[in-house]
């Protein structure tokens, strides 16, 4: 409860009527006053609990210096807020210096009331102030209860919890996991610089204005901490808000038990921000570093894993992919952002030093992820990587490239441990341009007559042309793939040439037709293709 300070009490009209003068302990006027007690006996200390303002006329106070010192010392030891003595009955003109010196030495505020003021009026005024503070506390608690209940019922996430605590308290708030990595925050980005080291140090020696509460269940089962920052220690109300926020985070954790972990959600937010924009690269880098993933002055490689399975088993598969990726990269001691990109893909941003062998790491990572598919025959996994970049401003390039490669490589044969842009060549370009009207017109112009002929006569000349082009016009390789004789091969070549009016011995013609066939395959089955052996 936010209790009134002694300085506030001295400003009350009922107290001012007594013309109060602080004779000792002026440095302690910020002490809270919990209650007012009228005491006309000298051995009162053992009946007090601390925080009281003692009112007395002094009629029962001892005369000896030593006895006065004992009286004042006892009051100070039990935590009395202040001693107020009214002049007139025992002390006429002023309080004795023996009493003043004893109070100053004990650090006990001593107030001299120079005019008579009814103690009952002072008691009533102070208690009204205390009760008003209590009422304000109850109102604030009720407001917090309603706000956090609405947030929990709405199913909002940790970031919204942190935002609510920070807005209601008016102080910066950070939510971290047990490894001191930032999961959500409401503060200036500059406060996150070096967060992990500062947070670890604060466990043993918290700086001024730093208070943390555990987030978790009873019995030491915490899974995070909610930290409030500021220039001064938080008030009881602010501590209450922090504790309510921690409780809301526990509820959120229980309600999203079947979803990805909070770490993965946080990583996903950063990966999405990096993939979709370059404007906030510096801020995102600061947030990533607070998660233990440095991005500045590092070699960055975007990786996207595209998984396919029965729709009911896809969420579990994506969790397995994320978990396996985190474990594999952890064993390799490679910091990385890892999180689901959508309902079919998991994205990663690997952060390596200049001496790292990127392809070797991708091979090990790909091997671990393909092991998931080997254990489950109904599952297919494609691992794709973008070009490695050296600045965080280019992170969007490697992530987008990895997304394109993953989408293009689904169904490619033969399968590879991982695909990079150079592995796709012409097919990658076709996939990127598949939605362009000019490409669609090109397909109709180049192979439209052949498609019409197949439809009219029930032939499969387009299928033959695809195999022929896939092997670069190599007749022997095309015949072996299609299991046909050379005579049948030459017959089909002649039919294609007659329908399209082209010469398949011309390399440029084969290339043009190959582009058209690839574009049609991509438009009909955007994630099914065959890679040249």
């Amino acid at each position: 409860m936010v209790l009134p300070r002694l300085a506030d009490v001295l400003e009350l009209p009922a107290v001012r009527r007594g013309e109060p003068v602080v004779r000792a302990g002026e440095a302690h006027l910020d002490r809270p006053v919990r209650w007012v007690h009228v005491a006309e006996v000298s051995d009162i200390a053992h009946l007090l609990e601390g925080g009281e303002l003692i009112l007395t006329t002094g009629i029962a106070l001892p005369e000896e210096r030593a006895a006065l010192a004992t009286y004042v010392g006892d009051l100070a030891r039990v935590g009395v807020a202040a001693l107020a003595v009214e002049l007139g009955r025992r002390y006429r003109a002023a309080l004795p210096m023996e009493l003043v010196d004893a109070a100053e030495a004990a650090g006990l505020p001593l107030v001299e009331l120079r005019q008579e003021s009814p103690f009952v009026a002072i008691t009533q005024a102070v208690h009204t102030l205390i009760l008003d503070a209590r009422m304000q506390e109850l109102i604030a608690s009720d407001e917090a209860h309603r706000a956090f209940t609405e947030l929990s019922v709405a199913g909002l996430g940790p970031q919204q919890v942190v935002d609510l605590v920070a807005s209601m308290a008016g102080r910066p708030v950070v939510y971290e996991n047990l490894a001191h990595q930032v999961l959500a925050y409401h503060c200036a980005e500059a406060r996150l610089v070096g967060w992990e080291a500062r947070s670890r140090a604060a466990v043993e020696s918290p700086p001024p204005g730093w208070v943390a509460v555990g987030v978790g269940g009873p019995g030491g089962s915490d899974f995070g901490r909610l930290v409030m920052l500021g220039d001064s220690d938080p008030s009881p109300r602010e501590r209450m808000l922090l504790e309510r926020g921690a409780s809301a985070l526990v509820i959120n954790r229980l309600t999203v038990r079947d979803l990805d972990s909070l770490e993965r959600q946080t990583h996903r937010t950063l990966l999405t921000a990096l993939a979709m924009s370059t404007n906030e690269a510096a801020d995102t880098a600061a947030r990533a570093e607070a998660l233990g993933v440095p991005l500045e002055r590092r070699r960055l490689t975007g990786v996207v894993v595209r998984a396919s399975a029965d729709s009911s088993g896809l969420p579990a598969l994506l969790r397995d992919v994320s978990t396996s990726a985190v474990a594999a990269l952890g064993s390799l001691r490679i910091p990385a952002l890892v999180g689901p990109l959508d309902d079919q893909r998991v994205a990663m941003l690997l952060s390596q030093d200049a001496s790292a062998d990127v392809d070797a790491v991708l091979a090990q990572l790909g091997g671990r992820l393909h092991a998931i598919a080997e254990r489950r025959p109904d599952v297919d996994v494609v691992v794709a990587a973008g070009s490695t970049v050296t600045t965080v401003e280019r992170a969007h390039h490697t992530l987008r490239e990895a997304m394109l490669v993953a989408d293009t490589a689904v169904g490619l044969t033969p399968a590879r441990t991982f695909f990079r842009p150079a592995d796709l060549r012409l097919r990658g370009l076709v996939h990127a341009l598949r939605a362009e009207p000019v490409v669609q017109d090109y397909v109709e112009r180049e192979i439209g007559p052949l498609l019409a002929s197949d439809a009219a006569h029930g032939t499969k000349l387009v299928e033959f042309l695809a195999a022929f082009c896939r092997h670069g016009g190599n007749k022997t390789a095309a015949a072996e793939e299609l299991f046909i004789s050379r005579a049948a091969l030459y017959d089909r070549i002649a039919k294609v040439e007659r329908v399209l009016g082209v010469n398949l011995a011309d390399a440029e013609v084969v290339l043009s037709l190959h582009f058209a066939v690839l574009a049609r395959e991509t438009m009909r089955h955007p994630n099914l293709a065959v890679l040249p052996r």
Side-chain angles (χ1 to χ4, degrees), residues 352-368:
Q352 298 172 267
D353 57 36
S355 61
D357 186 339
V358 178
D359 283 350
V361 169
L362 290 174
Q364 294 185 62
L365 176 61
R368 290 282 291 271

Side-chain angles (χ1 to χ4, degrees), residues 189-501:
E189 301 283 353
R191 285 188 179 270
L192 300 180
V193 177
W195 175 265
E196 183 176 341
R198 291 192 294 117
S199 179
R200 290 184 185 279
V203 172
E204 298 296 332
S205 179
W210 180 298
V211 62
V213 298
V215 178
S221 56
D222 287 354
F223 51 81
R225 280 177 291 270
L226 193 60
V227 183
M228 184 174 285
L229 310 173
D231 298 325
S232 59
D233 290 339
S235 66
R237 174 181 175 274
E238 291 165 346
R239 287 178 179 272
M240 177 271 292
L241 290 170
L242 195 65
E243 291 167 358
R244 290 290 179 91
S247 298
L249 289 170
V250 173
I251 294 172
N252 175 261
R253 173 94 165 197
L254 294 174
T255 56
V256 299
R257 184 185 299 273
D258 295 330
L259 301 180
D260 296 317
S261 69
L262 178 57
E263 287 84 350
R264 299 284 70 77
Q265 294 180 46
T266 306
H267 283 215
R268 174 183 183 172
T269 300
L270 294 183
L271 286 165
T272 302
L274 286 168
M276 300 306 165
S277 174
T278 61
N279 298 330
E280 301 179 358
D283 290 344
T284 305
R287 294 176 63 186
E289 185 164 1
L291 279 168
V293 184
L295 301 182
E296 299 285 2
R297 296 178 294 279
R298 304 277 289 180
R299 300 184 73 192
L300 308 177
T301 306
V303 178
V304 171
V305 181
R306 187 168 185 124
S308 60
D310 179 80
S311 59
S312 61
L314 199 53
L317 174 59
L318 292 179
R319 285 197 295 272
D320 288 347
V321 168
S322 295
T323 301
S324 296
V326 170
L329 294 170
S331 65
L332 296 171
R333 298 184 179 279
I334 296 175
L337 296 174
V338 181
L341 195 61
D342 51 35
D343 58 0
Q344 283 190 308
R345 298 176 294 183
V346 172
M348 309 170 213
L349 185 63
L350 278 54
S351 174
Q352 298 172 267
D353 57 36
S355 61
D357 186 339
V358 178
D359 283 350
V361 169
L362 290 174
Q364 294 185 62
L365 176 61
R368 290 282 291 271
L369 298 177
H370 280 288
I372 298 174
E374 293 172 1
R375 296 192 299 266
R376 299 165 61 177
D378 60 325
V379 165
D380 186 30
V381 171
V382 172
V383 182
S387 304
T388 300
V389 299
T390 56
T391 64
V392 68
E393 289 76 15
R394 294 281 292 164
H396 74 288
H397 173 80
T398 184
L399 284 168
R400 291 181 183 179
E401 200 171 48
M403 292 162 62
L404 175 62
V405 173
D407 291 346
T408 307
V410 172
L412 285 181
T413 57
R416 302 188 181 187
T417 306
F418 66 93
F419 292 91
R420 299 203 79 170
D423 298 325
L424 302 181
R425 302 188 183 280
L426 180 60
R427 187 173 299 281
L429 176 63
V430 172
H431 190 275
L433 299 175
R434 67 189 184 281
E436 295 294 331
V438 65
V439 174
Q440 298 167 8
D441 290 342
Y442 180 85
V443 170
E444 289 301 314
R445 186 170 63 252
E446 290 292 312
I447 62 174
L450 199 60
L451 290 167
S453 177
D454 278 350
H457 302 97
T459 55
K460 296 183 178 180
L461 294 180
V462 172
E463 181 181 315
F464 162 75
L465 179 62
F468 185 82
C469 293
R470 194 158 48 244
H471 293 286
N474 185 312
K475 299 179 180 64
T476 301
E480 289 177 354
E481 179 182 328
L482 296 172
F483 299 103
I484 60 176
S485 65
R486 291 187 67 83
L489 176 79
Y490 281 104
D491 177 66
R492 295 184 188 182
I493 289 175
K495 289 179 179 177
V496 170
E497 290 179 333
R498 183 171 61 255
V499 173
L500 296 181

